[in-house]
Amino acid sequence: MQDEQVDLGAEGKGNYYQYRIDGGAMTILPSTSATVYTLATGLSDTTHTLEFYRRSESKYGKTTFYGFNLDSGKRLVTPDPKPTRKIEVLGDSISSGLAVENNGWYNNTSNNGYNCFGPQLARMVN
C-alpha cells in the first residue's frame, strides 16, 4: 500500500486507516512513507478474516493498494459475494467522518469514515 502523504500542516499529514482480524478490536494504523505494513504475525494455521478501512477524507491524498504478502504456501480465499444493494451518501466532510470522534480537533486523527452515518446505516441493513 502506498499513501500519498499530503501534508496539511496543523490538519495532519497522510491518511489514517483501521483494521481488525477475525472480528477482534479495531487497530488504528497511521500512514507513513512505507509501502509494506505488517498487520499480523503468528496467526493460527486456519482461515482468517480481515476488515480494512480508510478513516480519513480525500483531502489527505490518494491511497494505492497493491495486494497482500502472505506466508509461503498460504493463499487468499474467495470472498463472499458482493451485496446486491448499495447506498450512496452525498455530502461534505461530515459525510466522510470529519471529527466524528469529537475530540476537539479537526484533523486526520479525528476523522473516522467507518463511524460516520452512511457506513453505519449500510452495516445496519447489511
Side-chain angles (χ1 to χ4, degrees):
M1 177 175 85
Q2 186 172 15
D3 187 276
E4 197 172 27
Q5 291 288 287
V6 170
D7 189 343
L8 297 175
E11 291 186 57
K13 179 179 179 181
N15 290 288
Y16 273 67
Y17 306 89
Q18 67 187 35
Y19 68 93
R20 69 172 149 210
I21 296 173
D22 297 334
M26 288 287 187
T27 299
I28 295 176
L29 179 69
S31 64
T32 66
S33 59
T35 55
V36 176
Y37 295 83
T38 300
L39 303 182
T41 59
L43 293 175
S44 60
D45 191 14
T46 187
T47 302
H48 298 279
T49 60
L50 168 67
E51 295 176 59
F52 192 90
Y53 305 95
R54 179 172 150 158
R55 292 171 54 96
S56 37
E57 58 185 305
S58 62
K59 70 181 178 181
Y60 294 101
K62 286 190 307 188
T63 301
T64 304
F65 180 74
Y66 295 108
F68 293 103
N69 293 327
L70 303 174
D71 288 344
S72 179
K74 304 302 178 192
R75 63 180 178 79
L76 296 175
V77 297
T78 303
D80 293 335
K82 289 182 180 182
T84 56
R85 298 176 292 177
K86 295 181 182 194
I87 294 176
E88 182 175 9
V89 176
L90 302 176
D92 54 14
S93 57
I94 195 150
S95 305
S96 64
L98 176 65
V100 72
E101 295 186 342
N102 196 24
N103 67 9
W105 302 103
Y106 292 173
N107 59 31
N108 58 349
T109 66
S110 65
N111 274 218
N112 190 341
Y114 180 81
N115 279 339
C116 59
F117 63 88
Q120 283 192 48
L121 175 62
R123 288 190 300 273
M124 288 171 61
V125 297
N126 196 25

